[in-house]
Amino acid sequence: MSASWQTSHMPDLTGLTAVVTGANSGLGIPTAQALGKAGAHVVLAVRDLDKGREAAAKVPGSHEVRRLDLADLASVRQFAASWDGDLDLLINNAGVMMAPEGRTKDGFETHFGTNHLGHFALTNLLLPHITDRVVTVSAAAHRWVSGIDFDNPYLTGAYNARKAYGQSKLANLLFTLELQRRLREIGSPVRALAAHPGLAATNLLRTPKPMLRTFIRLVAQDAEAGALPTLFAATEDLPSASYIGPDGISGMRGGPALVSRTAAASDPAAAKRLWALSEELTGTSFVMSPR
């Protein structure tokens, strides 16, 4: 798909419900706005309700704000337990990038716990309600690592923010792969897909380095363009387990299209191993009846 694909090409989503995690900032805002404009009822799942309400004021159509802290499994469980009725689209968008070494409320490394385990638990808990698809936002940074460090997933004693972020983004792709395998195995029509924004100028890309700031201004897409791969994955008729990203220079910018992933991100054995570890850590598992 060329750069000509825009939000105006999205189908009518009237009557559908979408959850967007991290919808109060970064890519989450234009994602929620586009879904609302297309007619969906949009649930902004955010950690800070005040910021969520401020963002929701810019979302057209039907919407609501609900609290969700992906770095706290109790909050994830509370969000899922409060859900009633069908959920057509879950967009696992929220995340942290290049954060200092830290731990979530449950003791997980910040990137692994927030970007992967929080969304893993949320998806599993909401699966009985999901009718159409799950889109998880990964990143080209999954190429920064050669695999999941299963012996030391929190990188204890060897922490590196770049590696931690890259590992969490690789985990997003392996999660999508194994989720789709499980959905296919039970004959579910629900699809799992992944997307990445390329280089998008959002709050995640703040940097004190002048030369890097200049590079970002020259090369990066704006948040609206960065959200297009996610929206494309969420609304177009695509093969299951598809990975969508910009089709331009080095995958940094351009129109949404099917893109490649590393061999490590396509490894079914690693995907199964990660799933088992994630079930153990979060206490959640795949529970879904065929529709």
Side-chain angles (χ1 to χ4, degrees), residues 85-105:
D86 286 345
L87 170 58
D88 302 284
L89 175 61
L90 171 61
I91 297 185
N92 292 324
N93 163 79
V96 295
M97 178 181 180
M98 307 290 280
E101 185 171 12
R103 294 289 184 267
T104 68
K105 290 190 177 179

Side-chain angles (χ1 to χ4, degrees), residues 4-94:
S4 62
W5 193 91
Q6 299 294 328
T7 55
S8 59
H9 294 96
M10 291 169 60
D12 182 8
L13 302 180
T14 300
L16 302 186
T17 298
V19 166
V20 181
T21 67
N24 64 298
S25 64
L27 301 175
I29 292 178
T31 299
Q33 289 173 329
L35 292 170
K37 187 175 181 180
H41 173 69
V42 183
V43 178
L44 292 83
V46 301
R47 185 175 55 184
D48 186 317
L49 288 176
D50 289 336
K51 291 182 179 178
R53 295 185 188 102
E54 184 178 343
K58 305 171 186 176
V59 176
S62 176
H63 56 264
E64 62 181 287
V65 179
R66 298 194 188 188
R67 188 177 184 279
L68 171 66
D69 183 353
L70 290 161
D72 180 359
L73 289 180
S75 175
V76 174
R77 291 182 181 280
Q78 184 176 29
F79 181 94
S82 70
W83 195 267
D84 184 29
D86 286 345
L87 170 58
D88 302 284
L89 175 61
L90 171 61
I91 297 185
N92 292 324
N93 163 79

Side-chain angles (χ1 to χ4, degrees), residues 24-26 51 97-99 199-210 212-213 216:
N24 64 298
S25 64
K51 291 182 179 178
M97 178 181 180
M98 307 290 280
L199 186 62
T202 70
N203 56 304
L204 287 182
L205 286 179
R206 290 173 183 161
T207 174
K209 299 179 180 180
L212 186 53
R213 286 202 305 269
I216 290 171

